Structures are given as structure tokens and as C-alpha cells.
Amino acid sequence: MTTDRSGRDVRGGSSGELRILGKGDTAALRELAEQDPVANIFMLSHLEATGTAAPTSAGGRIVGVFDGGELSAACWAGVNVVPVGVTAENGPEIGQFLGRSKNRYSSIFGPAEAVLSIWSELQHSSPRPFDVRSDQPLLQMTGVSQVQPAPGLRYSQASELDVLLPACAAMFEEEVGYSPISGGSHHYRQRVKSLIARGQSLVDFDASGRVVFKAELGTVSSSAVQIQGVWMNPAYRGQGLSAPYMSAVVEAARQVAPLVSLYVNSYNAPARATYEAVGFEQVGTFATILF
């Protein structure tokens, strides 16, 4: 191991120097992430919330790649791994760097080239993933949808947590393949509660009080909103309701930031058709590796 004058882990590679970023790297990291505010919304949201590139008290770190002293790429490494500006050339070195830490991650997600290049090396020191989703269209909207928004969609209220939680868990299980509350509901309940408290949870109920549709403004920066957690109650599917509800979600998101985005599995034809009808256009491709 090589360290710099601050004692931080520094390693040289064919694409430049790799090291853990600190507070002094914040401006350079923000400038790098702002080159693509839709693809890099996770990092921009983190920087706006914390104001620093320094490691967090929860153990999250950001690995930086430097070429000629300039920050050229970065990668968040906390519970998840999230690359910024990573290429097929420097991704494998980041994967090796992360592998040496012996940390375990719940997912790797971001631009497909970056994720897959990191994984090409990290896989040698990582548990086997239960799913690799290499083709997830990254979609964006900048204008108003031509689809009339569903009038009933609104922000969730704190008193509705117990009714909303099963719908959120059902969405997660459909998307990921296992229940987020199978080992206990506390942590997932707190996440849903936090989304409601921050005004990032949207829902509509039917006359009997069942959730018809729900979605979240899952990741938010001053530049963009990434929609997550989209779910339609199976009893209401196939009735032409999805596009109006998504149009209403977009309308809410545009009150927060000018760019609205999401990413979707390439094989999810119904969802892709809905998003296209609402007005989303593909601007890139994501990949996700789940552990």
C-alpha cells in the first residue's frame, strides 16, 4: 500500500492515481458529476445533502481517479457502488481497488459501461450476485407530458404509512425478487416513512382505501429528479391508468427540478410503452448488479 501525506490509500494505475477523496476534492467532484446531471444524480444529491466529498460517518467513501492531478472519474462506495465518469479503461482498476477493501455491497448501479467494467475485476473478490441487469434504458423528460395527468395522485401523508407500506413492499418484491421485510420491517418502514416526511412519496387510493398507484421521487438534486418505486395495484392493471398516473408523477417532479428521469429493465415492455407514451426518451443505458 502507498499513502499520501495525509495517510490516505493511494495507488497508481495505467489510467492514473486512485485515492479516497476528501473535503478538498468536493468542488472537483461536483464539477465532474455536473457533466451529466441525470446519470450522476445519486452523487449530486449526496453532495447537496452533505456539502462534502469526505467519507461519511456511516462509512461511505468516494474513490477518485486522477490523471495529471485532475479528477477524471469517481466512484461512491458505501452500501452501494455508484460510478461517476468511469470508463471501460479505468473501471477495472476501480474494481481492483474496491476488491482490496474486502467490503461487501448490496448493489452496483449506474451507466452500463462503468458498472460492467468495475465488475470485470470486482467479481474476483466478491460474492456471486443473484442478478445482473446489463441493459436498463435511462430515460429523461424535459417538458410537459401530452397525457392528461390522473387527478387523484397526491403526496402521501404520515398517517397513511401502514396502508402504503404493503404496496411499497409488493413493488420491491416484484422488481428485485425478494421481500424487503422478510427479515423484519423496521429498516424498510423507516425508509418509506422518510420518503413521506421529505415529500417524495406519491399515492392514490380507491374508495375502499386500497392503494391504486404509488411512486417516489426517489433521488432528488437541484438539477434532476429520478422517479423510483412505480407500482400499480394488480387489480387495476390493463385499464389504461398507468400513463395518466405517470404523467401526474412527472408533473409533480417538474415542480422540484427541470429534468425528470428514471431507468427501466429493457425486458419490461409494458412499462417502457407507458413511459414512451408519457414522453420519456432514452438518453443512456444503466446496468445494475444485485447481491
Side-chain angles (χ1 to χ4, degrees), residues 84-105:
V84 174
V86 173
T87 65
E89 288 70 37
N90 55 37
E93 293 180 73
I94 294 174
Q96 291 176 354
F97 189 97
L98 295 177
R100 286 189 289 266
S101 74
K102 306 300 183 182
N103 290 341
R104 294 292 178 258
Y105 308 103

Side-chain angles (χ1 to χ4, degrees), residues 132-201:
V132 177
R133 301 177 181 183
S134 59
D135 184 7
Q136 298 177 302
L138 176 64
L139 311 180
Q140 175 183 305
M141 276 190 70
T142 58
V144 178
S145 173
Q146 298 306 303
V147 176
Q148 186 68 25
L153 193 71
R154 58 171 176 77
Y155 287 100
S156 308
Q157 301 175 11
S159 60
E160 295 165 340
L161 174 61
D162 289 333
V163 180
L164 183 60
L165 187 63
C168 293
M171 177 283 307
F172 187 100
E173 187 165 4
E174 285 183 27
E175 174 66 20
V176 181
Y178 65 89
S179 172
I181 59 176
S182 58
S185 64
H186 175 73
H187 291 294
Y188 193 70
R189 181 183 180 87
Q190 288 300 115
R191 169 168 169 72
V192 176
K193 183 178 180 180
S194 177
L195 287 166
I196 294 173
R198 297 199 303 266
Q200 294 175 226
S201 172

Side-chain angles (χ1 to χ4, degrees), residues 41-53:
I41 186 171
F42 177 92
M43 188 67 77
L44 289 171
S45 176
H46 168 74
L47 290 175
E48 290 179 11
T50 66
T52 180

Side-chain angles (χ1 to χ4, degrees), residues 8-289:
R8 292 173 294 184
D9 186 359
V10 178
R11 296 182 186 270
S14 60
S15 62
E17 174 192 300
L18 278 71
R19 65 170 171 81
I20 302 302
L21 300 187
K23 183 177 180 180
D25 300 302
T26 303
L29 178 60
R30 182 178 289 110
E31 182 178 356
L32 177 67
E34 286 175 346
Q35 293 177 17
D36 191 339
V38 169
N40 299 327
I41 186 171
F42 177 92
M43 188 67 77
L44 289 171
S45 176
H46 168 74
L47 290 175
E48 290 179 11
T50 66
T52 180
T56 69
S57 58
R61 307 181 303 164
I62 302 170
V63 180
V65 179
F66 291 81
D67 290 330
E70 299 293 325
L71 182 67
S72 60
C75 185
W76 168 263
V79 174
N80 307 297
V81 172
V82 189
V84 174
V86 173
T87 65
E89 288 70 37
N90 55 37
E93 293 180 73
I94 294 174
Q96 291 176 354
F97 189 97
L98 295 177
R100 286 189 289 266
S101 74
K102 306 300 183 182
N103 290 341
R104 294 292 178 258
Y105 308 103
S106 64
S107 72
I108 309 171
F109 65 86
E113 178 183 294
V115 168
L116 298 177
S117 64
I118 290 171
W119 181 238
S120 70
E121 288 294 333
L122 184 56
Q123 65 180 320
H124 301 305
S125 57
S126 173
R128 185 172 182 172
F130 74 81
D131 201 359
V132 177
R133 301 177 181 183
S134 59
D135 184 7
Q136 298 177 302
L138 176 64
L139 311 180
Q140 175 183 305
M141 276 190 70
T142 58
V144 178
S145 173
Q146 298 306 303
V147 176
Q148 186 68 25
L153 193 71
R154 58 171 176 77
Y155 287 100
S156 308
Q157 301 175 11
S159 60
E160 295 165 340
L161 174 61
D162 289 333
V163 180
L164 183 60
L165 187 63
C168 293
M171 177 283 307
F172 187 100
E173 187 165 4
E174 285 183 27
E175 174 66 20
V176 181
Y178 65 89
S179 172
I181 59 176
S182 58
S185 64
H186 175 73
H187 291 294
Y188 193 70
R189 181 183 180 87
Q190 288 300 115
R191 169 168 169 72
V192 176
K193 183 178 180 180
S194 177
L195 287 166
I196 294 173
R198 297 199 303 266
Q200 294 175 226
S201 172
L202 296 157
V203 69
D204 191 16
F205 298 94
D206 64 15
S208 65
R210 292 185 302 172
V211 175
V212 176
F213 175 92
K214 71 94 185 174
E216 287 96 47
L217 310 183
T219 307
V220 176
S221 75
S222 58
S223 301
V225 172
Q226 187 179 92
I227 297 169
Q228 300 172 0
V230 177
W231 183 81
M232 176 75 74
N233 189 318
Y236 286 91
R237 295 174 187 176
Q239 300 180 28
L241 301 176
S242 295
Y245 274 121
M246 279 306 302
S247 181
V249 175
V250 169
E251 188 174 77
R254 291 185 68 248
Q255 304 306 308
V256 178
L259 299 175
V260 183
S261 75
L262 56 82
Y263 60 100
V264 58
N265 293 315
S266 60
Y267 53 77
N268 192 341
R272 294 187 66 180
T274 294
Y275 300 146
E276 182 177 353
V278 171
F280 282 93
E281 297 181 347
Q282 186 170 354
V283 294
T285 301
F286 264 30
T288 301
I289 299 175

